[in-house]
Amino acid sequence: MTSASFGSGPLRTRSLLSVFEEDAGTLTEYTNQLLQAMQRVYGAQNEMCLATQQLSKQLLAYEKQLNILHSELAKQLADTMVLPIIQFREKDLTEVSTLKDLFGLASNEHDVSMAKYSRLPKRKENEKLKAEVAKEVANARRKQHLSSLQYYCALNALQYRKRVAMMEPMLGYTRGQINFFKKGAEMFSKRMDRFLSSVSDMVQSIQGELDAETEKMRVSQQDLIAVNESVYTPDSDVTSPAINRNLIQKAGYLNLRNKTGLVTTTWERLYFFTQGGNLMCQPRGAVAGGLIQDLDNCSVMAVDCEDRRYCFQITTPTGKAGITLQAESKKEYEEWISAINNISRQIYLTDNPEAAAIKLNQTALQAVTPITSFGKKHEVHHPSQNVKNTENDKIIPSESAGIQDSAQLIAPGTPIQFDIVLPATEFLDQNRGGRRANPFGESEDSSKDEVEDSLLQQMFVVRFLGSMAVQSDNTSEVIYEAMRQVLAARAIHNIFRMTESHLMVTSKNLRLIDPQTQVTRTSFELATVTQFAAHRDNRRLVGFVVHLSETLGEESMSAYVFESNTEGEKICYAISLGKEIIEAQKDPEALAQLMKSVPLTNDGKFMLLNDQAEEDGTIHEEGEESEA
């Protein structure tokens, strides 16, 4: 585990650490077995010495020579074979085991301090308590960092030391045997001496490498100790963190919310990382990570959860709530949300993912520079689609509207609504005794008959981004300007919350339906939709302009912007077909001609997107027709 591995990220460090720890455990077991074998050899040599001494009493001529020779061999084996392996076990292996325990204690203390820090409330915080907890976290992190550095250094040193430790006993045994058979030197060639000399040189070379690596690690440790304490303090730059919104991969620690009962939950701090279009999780002690969530076509939004800060939730393409996570700082919180948003759009599959992510976020960045002419911005793009005027039955091409200034399309300072609110007309209808909304989400027979009588029924999964009042509906450029301002406002004010709905397109109206309760949130007559278009760069963005008459006789126009799971052009095509049906219903022959040109279902309704609806997120029921 060299110093370069520390800059490769926590994932590589954790993998290398598990490999080194496994190697240290194997080495400890092997050393114990080797020591037992060498002690047996040493015991046998001592027994040989006693036996030779007894034999020398019988062979007086060899008494002194044999006794001294075996005694010296036994002493040499004890000093050069048994002693080095005992020192290696007691010093190096015991040190690694001790440092591992200290590292574990420091990690546990850090987890306890992080849990205490995560439980800090976000409103009316006690600044003194927050500072104490933050200081406690910083001290725990510093202690964990120092213990990990010492532990890693010991593991690195063990890789060098084990080569020498295994070689020294064998060298001692070999030299002892050579000295023992010195009188029979003719049995050994000079090549053996050269071999032993080369082995000694190799041992010295390895020792030199160990010393150089130890010095290098010591310098790195001193540099890390000298850094500012703010590096260890969580959320140290909460006012103006440097946030990268163009990430296509992200890794770090997050708190995962787990349900332990009907109303009780627990939070577990785990290591998360993205791999392609997947969110992976690696528990402590695991060698590799496992899949926790598929991010393709998912949505992510900020949530309020148990009075905790920096919480966000990942929602599946079907609208089902997924996992809830908590970041430790504002920077991590916003970068995770941006990275998941970029990955959900499958940017990682492009040839240049970084450039695609920058281009995707360019719309929000353009809010810094006001755009005065749409002709300069879109002169290279294809002209927008035509929209029928329902009052005089004429086709008005968007090019004829001419180039307008952004102030002529949307008044400066126009407020933006980021959530869907039920319109006041529904409240008036209830007071007039008209159709009453059922609080349990059930529709009356009249609404069912209205849907069943519609010739077109098409449903799309959309997320509401925002709406704002506009001053003109003569050109689709007003929709592009509304998209730009809504996305820019969300980026500037860090608004990630989005309301998911089912958009039902019929030949009579557009309805936004709550996916959980099936209650209609709002509805627009299709005749009042005067403009609709999809974004030219981000094809999942779509918007439309609604022309409404107020109660006092005044008229108002509003632009609504959505993000869809499918391409926005398909939604525009469904709206366009619905308006064509409205016009064709005035002429039976035109309606018959239209019904011949578009495929129909068995009950005589128009059938759309039946080839790719399933993979694009469109919800189908029986047959190939999508209905509410």
Side-chain angles (χ1 to χ4, degrees), residues 528-546:
T528 62
V529 179
T530 56
Q531 283 289 344
F532 51 92
H535 198 277
R536 293 186 176 106
D537 296 327
N538 187 355
R539 298 182 180 275
R540 293 171 62 182
L541 292 181
V542 65
F544 55 81
V545 177
V546 178

Side-chain angles (χ1 to χ4, degrees), residues 85 133 166 181 213 292 460 468 500 567 586 597 599 602:
I85 198 68
V133 175
M166 297 297 104
F181 295 104
E213 186 67 21
I292 194 75
F460 303 91
M468 59 191 308
E500 189 164 284
E567 294 183 3
K586 300 176 182 179
S597 61
N602 295 331

Side-chain angles (χ1 to χ4, degrees), residues 207-244:
Q207 186 65 37
E209 292 180 9
L210 172 60
D211 295 339
E213 186 67 21
T214 302
E215 179 64 20
K216 188 176 181 181
M217 293 296 297
R218 188 190 65 80
V219 174
S220 300
Q221 184 176 353
Q222 293 296 328
D223 294 340
L224 291 172
I225 295 176
V227 299
N228 195 342
E229 188 173 352
S230 61
V231 175
Y232 298 95
T233 304
D235 211 10
S236 59
D237 192 10
V238 68
T239 55
S240 57
I243 301 172
N244 185 0

Side-chain angles (χ1 to χ4, degrees), residues 31 36 65 87 110 139 143 146 148-149 179 230 280 324 339 371 381-382 411 419 436 467 475 549 573-574 590 622-623:
T31 302
Q36 293 178 1
Q65 183 179 358
Q87 291 177 343
H110 177 251
N139 293 333
K143 184 177 179 181
L146 290 177
S148 65
L149 288 175
N179 292 331
S230 61
M280 313 292 287
T324 301
I371 299 176
H381 294 284
H382 58 81
D419 199 0
R436 180 172 59 88
S467 64
T475 172
S549 299
Y573 175 71
E622 298 180 358

Side-chain angles (χ1 to χ4, degrees), residues 289-322:
L291 176 64
I292 194 75
Q293 179 75 51
D294 184 3
L295 298 179
D296 285 346
N297 296 322
C298 282
S299 61
V300 58
M301 63 186 70
V303 293
D304 294 328
C305 188
E306 301 179 9
D307 198 25
R308 285 178 174 246
R309 302 170 300 165
Y310 312 136
C311 293
F312 57 94
Q313 185 181 76
I314 302 176
T315 305
T316 62
T318 60
K320 181 180 178 181

Side-chain angles (χ1 to χ4, degrees), residues 414-420 464-469 482 486 558-561:
T414 301
I416 300 176
Q417 180 176 332
F418 296 107
D419 199 0
I420 298 179
F464 180 72
L465 297 179
S467 64
M468 59 191 308
V486 167
S558 298
Y560 292 81
V561 181

Side-chain angles (χ1 to χ4, degrees), residues 239-281:
T239 55
S240 57
I243 301 172
N244 185 0
R245 303 186 188 278
N246 302 322
L247 296 173
I248 56 172
Q249 57 183 1
K250 180 71 176 171
Y253 283 94
L254 295 172
N255 290 333
L256 174 65
R257 182 174 180 263
N258 295 316
K259 282 191 175 182
T260 57
L262 294 177
V263 294
T264 58
T265 58
T266 60
W267 293 82
E268 184 179 7
R269 189 168 183 265
L270 299 172
Y271 183 79
F272 289 84
F273 61 96
T274 60
Q275 190 175 56
N278 299 323
L279 179 63
M280 313 292 287
C281 174

